Amino acid sequence: EAGVAQSPRYKIIEKRQSVAFWCNPISGHATLYWYQQILGQGPKLLIQFQNNGVVDDSQLPKDRFSAERLKGVDSTLKIQPAKLEDSAVYLCASYIAGSSGDTQYFGPGTRLTVL
Amino acid sequence: GQQLNQSPQSMFIQEGEDVSMNCTSSSIFNTWLWYKQEPGEGPVLLIALYKAGELTSNGRLTAQFGITRKDSFLNISASIPSDVGIYFCAGRATNRDDKIIFGKGTRLHILP
């Protein structure tokens, strides 16, 4: 079974530029999450999708961050414009209802550096 | 908001030693989770706990859900080099659809 795919793996941009990340969850997984992991911290949830609907985006900085999952499969997370404090690893995870326990499968992440 | 305090922040141990780390919360959690993250990878779930007092093992790893529902610990017995990584505790306060909150992690280093 293929895991959660993310691209790009690394991205370096200057502040005020825009950037987009892509995630393809495990096939059949209806729930998709985007997390932000700042160096030395644990992951922090940005947004949770159930199919193509948003379940929780309470911690998403909506003035600059946006995310979509139009067809309920893959998803994109965009930052526009980026700030220095957005430097972090952006993790995507997927989960299927009914699977054993709380197994969220994480992708390898996209490491963003904002200069 | 809810916070998790995980300790220690880092550990340096000799190969073969046992390891213990813990996590406390400011509020009651219904689910405790322990993850391991290696460089360049996302976290991988090690153990999930759903009931107060529950003790669960996964190979050399053992985790417990504290009776007060505000704490959990993870033990690793007879550490080996591949145990190196960052261990995160995480919790969920209410139902399974509620978001998971992560601790800041314990970085485990193993000396040869």
Side-chain angles (χ1 to χ4, degrees):
Chain A
E1 180 182 73
V4 177
Q6 289 189 247
S7 68
R9 291 296 310 273
Y10 305 91
K11 190 73 177 179
I12 300 174
I13 63 172
E14 295 187 347
K15 60 183 179 183
R16 289 188 290 274
Q17 285 187 324
S18 300
V19 65
F21 314 126
W22 175 81
C23 171
N24 191 20
I26 294 173
S27 178
H29 284 202
T31 307
L32 184 149
Y33 309 83
W34 282 102
Y35 288 86
Q36 180 192 57
Q37 186 176 21
I38 293 173
L39 187 64
Q41 306 281 330
K44 183 185 84 170
L45 180 68
L46 292 175
I47 189 167
Q48 176 184 345
F49 290 96
Q50 181 72 20
N51 296 307
N52 61 350
V54 175
V55 173
D56 184 350
D57 63 356
S58 58
Q59 299 188 109
L60 186 74
K62 298 180 187 63
D63 58 333
R64 298 182 300 106
F65 286 65
S66 64
E68 59 183 16
R69 194 184 183 200
L70 295 176
K71 297 183 179 179
V73 181
D74 56 351
S75 175
T76 56
L77 176 69
K78 296 179 182 178
I79 307 175
Q80 179 180 9
K83 293 185 175 181
L84 295 177
E85 59 262 35
D86 298 333
S87 293
V89 175
Y90 290 85
L91 294 163
C92 179
S94 71
Y95 168 85
I96 185 168
S99 61
S100 58
D102 286 88
T103 308
Q104 289 188 17
Y105 295 89
F106 283 86
T110 297
R111 181 177 296 276
L112 173 68
T113 301
V114 182
L115 303 176
Chain B
Q2 296 162 335
Q3 293 185 3
L4 292 185
N5 295 309
Q6 189 170 349
S7 65
Q9 285 188 340
S10 63
M11 303 181 71
F12 289 83
I13 63 167
Q14 296 284 342
E15 182 179 349
E17 288 185 354
D18 296 343
V19 173
S20 184
M21 60 190 77
N22 66 78
C23 203
T24 59
S25 70
S26 55
S27 57
I28 290 173
F29 279 4
N30 286 343
T31 302
W32 283 98
L33 308 166
W34 285 93
Y35 288 83
K36 180 186 178 187
Q37 187 174 28
E38 298 187 14
E41 301 294 330
V44 174
L45 182 66
L46 299 173
I47 294 178
L49 303 160
Y50 302 105
K51 292 170 59 175
E54 180 180 356
L55 186 70
T56 298
S57 293
N58 178 6
R60 294 179 294 105
L61 278 61
T62 302
Q64 184 160 26
F65 191 139
I67 292 292
T68 65
R69 295 167 63 193
K70 291 185 176 181
D71 62 339
S72 177
F73 71 77
L74 175 70
N75 285 343
I76 305 173
S77 62
S79 58
I80 59 178
S82 61
D83 291 334
V84 167
I86 304 176
Y87 292 80
F88 289 99
C89 65
R92 178 181 279 121
T94 55
N95 60 50
R96 286 194 168 182
D97 293 329
D98 203 7
K99 60 179 173 284
I100 294 172
I101 298 169
F102 283 79
K104 292 185 177 182
T106 294
R107 187 179 294 272
L108 180 62
H109 304 267
I110 297 180
L111 306 171

